[in-house]
Amino acid sequence: MTTMLYTHEACLAHDPGRHHPESPARLRAVLAALETPEFQALRRGEAPRAELADIARIHPRDFAERLLAAVPHEGHAAIDADTVLSPGSGEAALRAAGAVVAAVDAVIAGAAANAFCAVRPPGHHAEPRHAMGFCLFNNIAIAAAHARAAHGLARVAVVDFDVHHGNGTQAAFENDATLFYASTHQMPLYPGTGSARERGVGNIVNVPLAPMSGGREFRAAYSGEILPALDAFRPEIVLVSAGFDAHRSDPLAELMLVESDYAWVTDQLLALAARHAKGRLVSTLEGGYDLAALAASAATHVRCLMTA
Ligand SMILES: [Zn+2]
């Protein structure tokens, strides 16, 4: 079975400004790493635009329309100090969400074993009514809602190993027991949510990690808490918010992961998907701000997907 890679050049045209860490160079670095001969067997798909109806399963339609209408014709339009629109941002946001939706369709149809979406802007901070933290639409939450609504899946899990807590995904899921959200993240750190006490309706598992935690603490969080909770939930598809900013080289946080930790967690999640979800796993890029560490970590992650 094959691994699909979804991306779109429009995702390079979202430009939050010079010196912004969430730069087009991030996606260029990931795509360059996936162009080397060992990744030749990836099946490459062009990300379609998400439909407004897809987005509206998570974000109220008036919010989505206002966000797209705020995209400037030239220059920049700031939503907040971190979250900035450029003329290419609307198309990028639609393609980023559309990639994850299309990847879910491909994996459920059996056209691929699993998929990775190399897209930006990222999504996991975007709350139903609030774009924030470099994120416009919540790509992974939109894909989860699509898996349930369009394919009738009864249980959909999102696992988020980005160094930041996915407050947006949690906000979208916390009252819905058919959706499950598990996150490891550094605490204290932006956005400030993600304490272990935030449990939704029993469908949220947050494992905050202290600054300077490394692979030992990270793996213990998965082995001790997140994987057992996922086994109890029995997801019919596993979605992954794959941010690589918990890497020891990342400038935005202080966790100490290395590439082998990303390989380990990817293999664990693939095994989980094999146990409960016919192997169905869709991963999408969230953060990761050291270009070399991001490229190497994403390549490691995709290499694991390809050997599933
Ligand atoms: Zn992050």
Side-chain angles (χ1 to χ4, degrees):
M1 279 284 269
T2 49
T3 294
M4 286 282 302
L5 170 66
Y6 283 94
T7 188
H8 198 282
E9 63 180 12
C11 293
L12 294 166
H14 164 60
D15 168 25
R18 241 177 349 142
H19 310 306
H20 196 294
E22 205 290 281
S23 68
R26 298 179 57 244
L27 180 53
R28 269 190 229 107
V30 169
L31 292 174
L34 299 179
E35 282 300 327
T36 55
E38 70 166 307
F39 294 105
Q40 236 168 28
L42 282 172
R43 262 191 47 220
R44 290 154 199 270
E46 181 162 280
R49 285 193 192 115
E51 305 284 343
L52 213 49
D54 297 325
I55 295 167
R57 293 197 185 100
I58 295 297
H59 303 283
R61 194 176 276 261
D62 66 315
F63 164 86
E65 287 169 346
R66 267 187 286 115
L67 182 81
L68 293 171
V71 171
H73 295 293
E74 56 183 47
H76 291 95
I79 293 172
D80 61 33
D82 296 328
T83 314
V84 179
L85 302 172
S86 71
S89 299
E91 183 73 11
L94 291 171
R95 298 284 181 180
V100 195
V101 168
V104 164
D105 288 341
V107 166
I108 291 179
N114 53 49
F116 180 66
C117 301
V119 294
R120 54 185 290 280
H124 72 153
H125 294 307
E127 296 184 351
R129 289 193 162 276
H130 192 192
M132 60 181 275
F134 314 166
C135 301
L136 302 179
F137 297 134
N138 194 316
N139 309 318
I140 201 96
I142 290 165
H146 173 79
R148 207 180 40 176
H151 297 286
L153 299 197
R155 293 177 307 281
V156 179
V158 170
V159 182
D160 184 336
F161 56 70
D162 189 279
V163 80
H164 302 94
H165 180 241
N167 59 294
T169 312
Q170 177 171 303
F173 284 19
E174 62 192 351
N175 295 314
D176 187 337
T178 68
L179 302 172
F180 184 95
Y181 177 70
S183 174
T184 44
H185 44 273
Q186 180 180 324
M187 183 170 268
L189 191 67
Y190 182 91
T193 51
S195 108
R197 291 187 306 277
E198 296 165 22
R199 301 184 48 84
V201 290
N203 63 333
I204 307 287
V205 176
N206 286 311
V207 187
L209 300 171
M212 307 311 288
S213 296
R216 195 162 52 90
E217 293 85 354
F218 178 78
R219 295 181 194 210
Y222 280 89
S223 297
E225 299 188 56
I226 291 177
L227 293 168
L230 284 162
D231 274 322
F233 180 72
R234 295 181 295 117
E236 295 181 311
I237 189 169
V238 177
L239 307 183
V240 183
S241 270
F244 298 100
D245 41 9
H247 193 283
R248 65 185 308 147
S249 300
D250 198 274
L252 295 197
E254 293 91 34
L255 293 193
M256 304 299 283
L257 299 193
V258 295
E259 285 84 338
S260 57
D261 296 309
Y262 291 117
W264 180 85
V265 75
T266 305
D267 285 340
Q268 295 295 317
L269 295 175
L270 285 164
L272 174 91
R275 285 197 293 279
H276 300 291
K278 304 176 187 167
R280 299 187 288 215
L281 184 148
V282 168
S283 173
T284 189
L285 182 64
E286 300 280 3
Y289 303 97
D290 179 88
L291 296 185
L294 168 64
S297 301
T300 296
H301 179 61
V302 174
R303 190 177 296 124
C304 293
L305 297 184
M306 293 174 75
T307 52

